[in-house]
Each structure stands twice: as structure tokens, then as C-alpha cells.
Amino acid sequence: MPSTRLGAAVPSHAGTRAAAWGLLAASALLALAMAVPAAAGWDVHVRSFPPLHAQWRPRVGPGTFPALAVGALGAWHAVPLARRLPWRPLLLVSWGVGVAWMLSLALVDGSDGVGRILDDRYEYLDTARATTDVSATLREYVDRIPLAHPGHWPVHIAGHPPGALLLFVGLVRLGLGGGFAAGLVVTLIAATTPLAVLVVARSLGVEAQARTALPFLVLGPTAIWQSVSADAMFAAVAAWGIAALAVAATSPTTGRTIGWSVVAGLLLGYCVMLSYGLPLLGILAVAVLLAARTWLPLPFAAAAALGVVLAFAALGFAWWEALPVLQERYWNGVASRRPTSYWLWGNLAALVFCAGPLLGAALASSGRSMAAAVRHPSRHVLATLSLAGVLMVTAADLSLMSKAEVERIWLPFVPWLMLSCAFLPPRWVRGGLVLQVVFALVVQHLLWSDW
């Protein structure tokens, strides 16, 4: 069973009991998050199905049969294929299955399932199409965050640094500015996230164990929000930044270490310009360096990341000036009406919706290894990465800057949490994947989400 890199073996009955309790806790959290607002007459200021920003809308559509087919084939074949495929075919198959799964779920709503949300006036594309002068946009970016400004930014533009908008400006200028075309691009990029996570695991010497978790990174309810959310693209950029850092930390020569460290810093620095929550990736970066037992990449990666932030500042957007302005807009708006007493744990219920209920079983199964990872991170690599995921989510939740609308905001953190699926009892692996697939199909066919 688990090698020393994963931690000491746990008796099968104890592991099964922990997984069962974790699954029960996750299911109870979902049930309470849905039931409490209705039972208490509590207006938590989302759509009609808290904790999701969604409405009850049972339906079938063009993507229903493909989703059933991909889900069934994946649930049956993914686990053995993940274990035996050679490296390059594994990456290619994982990416292809991820694209098929995401698109088939999105197409339950027809072509609108891919393009409608990104085309919404609150999203990026509308503003990206109207952006003709990037320099002027950066100079006036902070001034246009407050609602009092006559030309204030739409919600998603105001709520993110300009790096996100610039990605969509690039798509527009490449002729990919339609909602459907942009949705396809987001999907193709988002499907690379599990590949980046696997590169991290391979670099840190735990590829075999990570292969057990790989099907859970590819198939699951996370895909519901990946084809339609820019946050899925942010997740991919973040994952490849961490992958570059892992390669840097394990490179055999100083030159390669420095080169990959700079690449990691540039990607992670750009993540800071994509979302105000992504500086939390620093926790994951530290976890990677602890697991690799080296700090050599840190100064080079940090310098490159700081260079990205300062370059934006020189062009007119200072991150440290924008954040307090955004906080003021956020707290003067709907956030002040969303009760903290609900959303502190309702956010976590939205995370379980996004990651799937098996997350509870996986985290419970990995508990002992996570505890051991605190003392010996390099001997418990996957547990160290999963623990970093837990810490990032905890910090984001306690910040109170993500009350509601978080099923998509969790996307950059979910892959690292799902690595804990490597710790599931062997008998739970295939059944757990079936549970994830069925849960995704049920959620997509019963709920209609704005994200």
C-alpha cells in the first residue's frame, strides 16, 4: 500500500471508516446549506438554490447522451488506464477526456451552454470588445472600480485585476471574441489543469500515487463550471506556474533551476493580476519547495513575479491601490446583505458542490498523512500539496471576500484538494469515481447556473 512518500499504511477498516465519515460529513454539509435558508426563511442573496448561484431547472439537451457516454466510459476505464498508460499517451488521453466531459456537460444547454455566460454583460467579453486602448484602460482601471464612477466597470471587471480582461482582449484581437469561440478556448485551456498537476507530482517523485487521483481531477462536477468560467483558465495558469516551480526545484543544474524559476515567477505573478485571491498560491508554492527540500528557486521566482506586478504598476495599475477600492465597493454592495453566519460554511458547501461529495471522504482518508506532512513534507508529498489546498481554501473563506458565487472561485484550488483521492481505500476508488460522475450529471441536469 502507500509508500513512505505517502505515509504509513492505515488498516483497511480504519481507512474505510474515515472515508465513510468524511463522505457523510460532506453530504450533511450539502444538505444543511440547501435546507437551512429555506427552513429559517433566510435570504442569503443568491439565486433560488443556495449555496449555488443557481436555479432549479430540470432539463435534458443535446449534450445529455454524450455526457452519459463519456461519464460511463470514464467511470469504467479511467482508473486502469491512469495506472498503465505511458506518460505521453496519459497526458493526451487525460486532456481529451477532460475536453469531452466539459463540453458534453455544457452542451446539455446546447451551444448556449458554452457561450451564453461568457457573453453576459457582467463578464469580460463585452468590455474586451470595447477596449481599443489598453494603456488608457490600465491607467483608469482603479478609478472605474467604485460604483459611484459614471463609467464604473461591470462586476467581473471591477472584481478582478486587469490581467483577466487582457486575456479576453487578446482573444478578441485574435478573432475569438464570440461567446462560443471564447468558451471553446477556455475549455481547451482548462482541460490542461490535471496535466500540470501530474507534472508537479512527477517532478516531486510521486507520479505513481498521483495517477490514482488523476481520474478524479479529470471527471467530476468541477467540469460544470470549467467551460463557462474564466476562473477555469486562471486555474490552468496557476497550475502550470506551480508545475514550472516543481520542475525548477528538481532540476539537475543551476541554469535549468533559474530558467524554470523565472518561468514559474512570470506565470504566478500574472496570476496575481488575474484574481485578488490568487496570491494565496504562495502557500502552495511554499509547499512545493518544502516537498522538494530546496529554497533555491525562491529568489528567482519571487523576483520574476514581483516584476510582473511592478510592470502593471508602471503601466498604471497598482494592485495594492486597487484592492482597498474593490473592498469598499464589495462591502457597499451585496456583500453587506449576505449573512456571514451562513456564508462562512455555505462557501464550503459550494466547494463540495464544485469538487464533489467524495472530497469529504478523500480529505478524511488523508488526515493522518496530512498531520505527518506538517513534520516531514518531503516524505508525504501528496499530503503536503493537499494540505496546502486546505489552507488556501481556509484563508480565502475567512477573508470574507468570497461570500457566495464561489463554486467558480474555488476552481484554482480544487485540483490540489482532489489529490487527496490518492488516499482513498482501494475499494472506494472506482465506486467513488462513479459517485462523482453521477453527481455531476445530476447537478447539471437539475440546476441552471449563472456561472
Side-chain angles (χ1 to χ4, degrees):
M1 270 303 295
S3 71
T4 56
R5 301 284 273 184
L6 280 171
V10 180
S12 59
H13 65 276
T16 299
R17 186 165 57 246
W21 278 109
L23 179 59
L24 180 62
S27 301
L29 181 62
L30 290 179
L32 288 171
M34 291 184 284
V36 167
W42 207 350
D43 186 356
V44 295
H45 292 279
V46 290
R47 291 276 188 163
S48 57
F49 205 89
L52 302 182
H53 201 69
Q55 302 177 57
W56 178 263
R57 190 182 294 182
R59 65 205 184 280
V60 295
T64 295
F65 179 77
L68 289 170
V70 173
L73 290 172
W76 185 254
H77 294 291
V79 173
L81 284 176
R83 289 171 176 165
R84 71 169 184 259
L85 276 178
W87 175 249
R88 289 184 180 177
L90 176 67
L91 297 181
L92 181 61
V93 169
S94 298
W95 180 79
V97 172
V99 170
W101 180 236
M102 282 186 264
L103 287 179
S104 62
L105 287 172
L107 291 172
V108 168
D109 294 313
S111 60
D112 282 352
V114 177
R116 171 186 53 82
I117 291 175
L118 288 175
D119 244 343
D120 189 277
R121 63 190 178 92
Y122 294 112
E123 291 278 352
Y124 301 94
L125 276 177
D126 198 43
T127 303
R129 296 182 194 116
T131 300
T132 57
D133 188 335
V134 171
S135 297
T137 297
L138 292 175
R139 289 194 300 270
E140 64 188 17
Y141 206 92
V142 177
D143 292 337
R144 293 179 62 179
I145 293 175
L147 284 171
H149 192 285
H152 63 78
W153 296 120
V155 171
H156 287 279
I157 311 300
H160 293 79
L165 174 61
L166 295 185
L167 288 178
F168 285 94
V169 170
L171 290 182
V172 169
R173 295 187 178 182
L174 289 171
L176 299 169
F180 188 81
L184 286 178
V185 172
V186 169
T187 302
L188 295 176
I189 294 173
T192 70
T193 301
L195 282 58
V197 175
L198 201 60
V199 168
V200 173
R202 182 181 175 93
S203 299
L204 297 176
V206 288
E207 177 192 338
Q209 295 91 339
R211 282 174 175 248
T212 302
L214 179 62
F216 299 96
L217 274 68
V218 175
L219 296 167
T222 308
I224 295 171
W225 293 277
Q226 284 180 302
S227 283
V228 295
S229 171
D231 292 83
M233 193 155 50
F234 306 166
V237 175
W240 285 110
I242 295 297
L245 185 65
V247 172
T250 54
S251 289
T253 66
T254 302
R256 283 175 58 86
T257 294
I258 294 173
W260 281 109
S261 298
V262 171
V263 171
L266 293 174
L267 289 172
L268 295 174
Y270 200 79
C271 284
V272 176
M273 292 295 109
L274 292 173
S275 170
Y276 290 103
L278 289 186
L280 292 173
L281 290 169
I283 296 172
L284 183 59
V286 169
V288 168
L289 296 178
L290 287 171
R293 301 177 67 180
T294 181
W295 295 103
L296 182 58
L298 182 60
F300 305 104
L306 182 61
V308 173
V309 175
L310 293 179
F312 271 85
L315 292 171
F317 176 82
W319 187 94
W320 52 90
E321 293 177 359
L323 180 59
V325 179
L326 170 63
Q327 288 174 322
E328 183 177 358
R329 170 169 169 165
Y330 181 69
W331 285 105
N332 287 339
V334 70
S336 63
R337 302 191 296 275
R338 286 177 174 154
T340 300
S341 53
Y342 174 79
W343 285 110
L344 270 175
W345 57 276
N347 282 346
L348 301 181
L351 169 65
V352 176
F353 263 108
C354 179
L358 195 70
L359 176 62
L363 291 177
S365 298
S366 64
R368 292 189 181 187
S369 292
M370 284 191 190
V374 174
R375 296 184 62 185
H376 302 290
S378 63
R379 291 166 54 186
H380 306 272
V381 174
L382 289 191
T384 298
L385 298 176
S386 296
L387 179 58
V390 171
L391 294 176
M392 289 188 292
V393 165
T394 301
D397 190 34
L398 293 177
S399 75
L400 300 181
M401 284 293 290
S402 300
K403 291 197 293 183
E405 305 169 18
V406 288
E407 51 267 34
R408 60 187 175 81
I409 296 174
W410 293 135
L411 291 176
F413 308 131
V414 167
W416 312 100
L417 293 170
M418 295 307 291
L419 280 175
S420 61
C421 291
F423 298 90
L424 287 167
R427 292 181 179 179
W428 277 63
V429 173
R430 175 163 282 168
L433 188 58
V434 171
L435 172 64
Q436 291 288 94
V437 167
V438 170
F439 185 80
L441 290 168
V442 169
V443 170
Q444 177 65 357
H445 283 85
L446 295 183
L447 301 178
W448 185 86
S449 173
D450 275 346
W451 314 119

